[in-house]
Amino acid sequence: HLASTVATHSDSITAPDFQILFYPVVTMDYAYTHKGSRHNLLGRDTSMSMVDLYSNEQQVTRLTPPAIMLLSDDDTAVPSPNSVNYYMALKRAGVSATMHIYPSGGHGWGCRKNFKFHGEMMADLKAWLDVMKDKLDRK
């Protein structure tokens, strides 16, 4: 959630050049959020205005940096609509976005080499970073 918050709440001077999001918590909407993250970040009795403010899919603008999202279809901790809805918001704003959904792996695999799709994930991430490097070099 921190990475998508920095990407969507920063001004054009302080925003990162890109965002890499592994199975991200993006929304604070109870229908899709990771409830522990919501409670830890916003408290148990938070206002709807705070929920909306930190539901980062609602904060995307054309200035939001490009993103890659990496997640598993069977993640029960952070539901995939966090990434899907964020991806759709980025695309509506005209922001470059890529999403890879691996068939299994659950939550929390990060760069663990025993993740069944570790090789594919590393290749996907490297290819995307190469594209980002080319774009940044042309700036």
Side-chain angles (χ1 to χ4, degrees):
H1 192 264
L2 177 60
S4 69
T5 300
V6 170
T8 56
H9 290 251
S10 296
D11 60 32
S12 61
I13 295 169
T14 59
D17 289 326
F18 56 83
Q19 41 184 324
I20 299 172
L21 306 171
F22 284 85
Y23 33 80
V25 174
V26 175
T27 193
M28 291 292 112
D29 180 333
Y30 250 128
Y32 304 113
T33 195
H34 177 259
K35 289 164 184 59
S37 294
R38 177 182 160 142
H39 293 155
N40 288 333
L41 292 168
L42 301 180
R44 293 198 180 274
D45 298 314
T46 191
S47 68
M48 279 310 295
S49 63
M50 288 295 285
V51 169
D52 291 343
L53 180 63
Y54 288 101
S55 291
N56 293 328
E57 76 281 6
Q58 296 181 39
Q59 307 308 320
V60 171
T61 71
R62 64 179 182 75
L63 300 175
T64 301
I68 184 170
M69 289 156 278
L70 306 147
L71 58 148
S72 297
D73 191 48
D74 64 349
D75 186 341
T76 58
V78 178
S80 60
N82 274 271
S83 294
V84 173
N85 293 338
Y86 193 56
Y87 175 87
M88 294 304 298
L90 291 163
K91 298 313 290 180
R92 280 191 299 273
V95 175
S96 175
T98 300
M99 184 169 47
H100 295 278
I101 305 174
Y102 304 101
S104 62
H107 187 79
W109 41 263
C111 290
R112 286 185 309 185
K113 291 185 179 185
N114 67 348
F115 171 50
K116 183 176 183 176
F117 301 98
H118 176 78
E120 292 90 338
M121 182 273 301
M122 293 299 287
D124 293 337
L125 184 55
K126 181 185 181 318
W128 186 81
L129 285 167
D130 288 344
V131 169
M132 288 300 104
K133 182 182 181 316
D134 289 345
K135 287 181 179 181
L136 290 170
D137 286 348
R138 283 182 272 169
K139 273 187 161 180

